[in-house]
Amino acid sequence: MKLLLFFTLFLLVFCNGTQAAAQDENLPLEKIKLPPGFSISLWARVPDVRTLTLGDKGTVFAGSNSAGNVYAITDHNGKRRVRVIASKLKLPSGVAFHHGSLYVSAVNRILHYGHIEENLDQPPQPQVVIDSYPRETFHGWRFIAFGPDDLLYVSVGAPCDACEADQSHYALISRIKPDGTNYEIYAQGVRNSVGFDWHPETKELWFTDIGRDWMSDNMPPDELNHAPHKGMHFGFPYCHASSILDPKFGAKRGCDRSVPPVIELDAHATPLGMRFYTGNMFPLEYKNQIIIAEHGSSNQRTHSGYQLKRVHIENNKVIKKEVFADGWLENGNAWGRPVDVLVMPDGALLVSDDQAGAIYRISYSIP
């Protein structure tokens, strides 16, 4: 009986391992096109993985959407372990790490997990930092990150495709103290930002914004914006991109009172996570430049996005944009959708993909 039980367990482990290996092999990473010297590999399998953040001790934390989980991925001598450290949450997409604690956005709530890296096997019960953000799940997957001012920045999307929602509660980027107090609006007229970062030298905020649907296949463009100070209005729902009036709301405000994007991105490409590249692995021309994850279009006849974009900046001005990595879209069908990017201590770039349930590692070596 014991021998039969051992053999059964062996088969289960062997079959599960073989299935996992087959799944890894089924990701056609050889189709990803990168500049010379760059390579991409599978770093971890994480279901429905969304935004990423890095702990002080090297733990990568990842949020999710429909899975309702928060993950912790540790690396020991090249072997990675994926733990579920929180589950059954409502759209726990945003994650941020600050002074030994993990912060998680879950629609109307921001949760706090103290001393988390010391307790990955027995995560503490979270403390509710704040629970007064809007409860709508339409654009309810919030991006959060700590700024150079030690404040937690929280995006709040519009509860609609295009509408005049109360702009003291929606279509904005807010910020709060780590304990949830001192709520204030930093930027308004932001339809749905799911990625932002601060320039490593100027410490100024840059963010992506997803344009509205149902105007046409080619408009309005998605956006990359720059908000060096609070109080700026970026147009939604009255003005899209640089000068496109909304067909329903545009006459009420126009575009002359709005801040235009620093660069227009492809319509419906759905730019999500973005980071300034601060590592030392990539060539020098990548230093302090922006990498954007474009999740891909959902309502176009001809799809756009499904790639990583590189945006060149000089003296706080955008010089140009170009494709950094693509190949997740093939003949109109996507096998993967990039969500977020994260610069690692060794200079490699992690890329999350919620469709494939994977985190990739992009590295560089001199060709």
Side-chain angles (χ1 to χ4, degrees), residues 21-173:
Q23 288 176 342
D24 292 350
E25 292 172 359
N26 285 339
L27 289 177
L29 294 182
E30 72 281 357
K31 296 181 179 179
I32 301 299
K33 296 182 286 293
L34 287 157
F38 288 90
S39 60
I40 187 170
S41 60
L42 179 65
W43 191 76
R45 280 285 195 172
V46 183
D48 190 36
V49 60
R50 295 285 289 187
T51 59
L52 307 172
T53 195
L54 183 65
D56 291 336
K57 297 182 178 181
T59 308
V60 173
F61 296 97
S64 68
N65 267 359
S66 59
N69 296 331
V70 179
Y71 304 94
I73 306 101
T74 52
D75 188 318
H76 183 68
N77 296 328
K79 294 183 178 180
R80 280 163 289 282
R81 180 180 177 185
V82 180
R83 296 175 175 88
V84 176
I85 58 170
S87 60
K88 298 181 181 179
L89 297 177
K90 195 170 186 179
L91 302 181
S93 178
V95 288
F97 195 86
H98 187 65
H99 292 174
S101 297
L102 178 68
Y103 291 75
V104 177
S105 67
V107 190
N108 63 304
R109 301 187 300 164
I110 304 294
L111 306 175
H112 168 272
Y113 296 82
H115 305 288
I116 186 64
E117 285 188 287
E118 293 79 27
N119 298 282
L120 294 177
D121 291 320
Q122 292 184 318
Q125 287 297 311
Q127 296 178 336
V128 178
V129 172
I130 188 171
D131 62 1
S132 56
Y133 279 98
R135 294 178 176 272
E136 286 86 351
T137 56
F138 194 102
H139 293 160
W141 43 91
R142 315 212 181 287
F143 187 86
I144 60 175
F146 278 91
D149 52 11
D150 282 335
L151 298 178
L152 181 63
Y153 287 67
V154 182
S155 68
V156 182
C160 55
D161 179 48
C163 61
E164 282 190 296
D166 182 352
Q167 293 215 1
S168 65
H169 292 90
Y170 303 97
L172 55 84
I173 296 174

Side-chain angles (χ1 to χ4, degrees), residues 292-331:
I292 299 175
E294 293 187 338
H295 196 231
S297 54
S298 58
N299 66 345
Q300 276 181 309
R301 288 183 291 270
T302 302
H303 294 293
S304 60
Y306 306 94
Q307 60 190 0
L308 302 183
K309 280 276 181 63
R310 175 188 173 196
V311 178
H312 299 246
I313 298 173
E314 290 182 12
N315 299 319
N316 250 2
K317 303 291 183 184
V318 172
I319 304 302
K320 64 176 179 177
K321 62 181 178 181
E322 63 184 4
V323 175
F324 174 61
D326 70 347
W328 286 278
L329 182 69
E330 186 177 32
N331 299 322

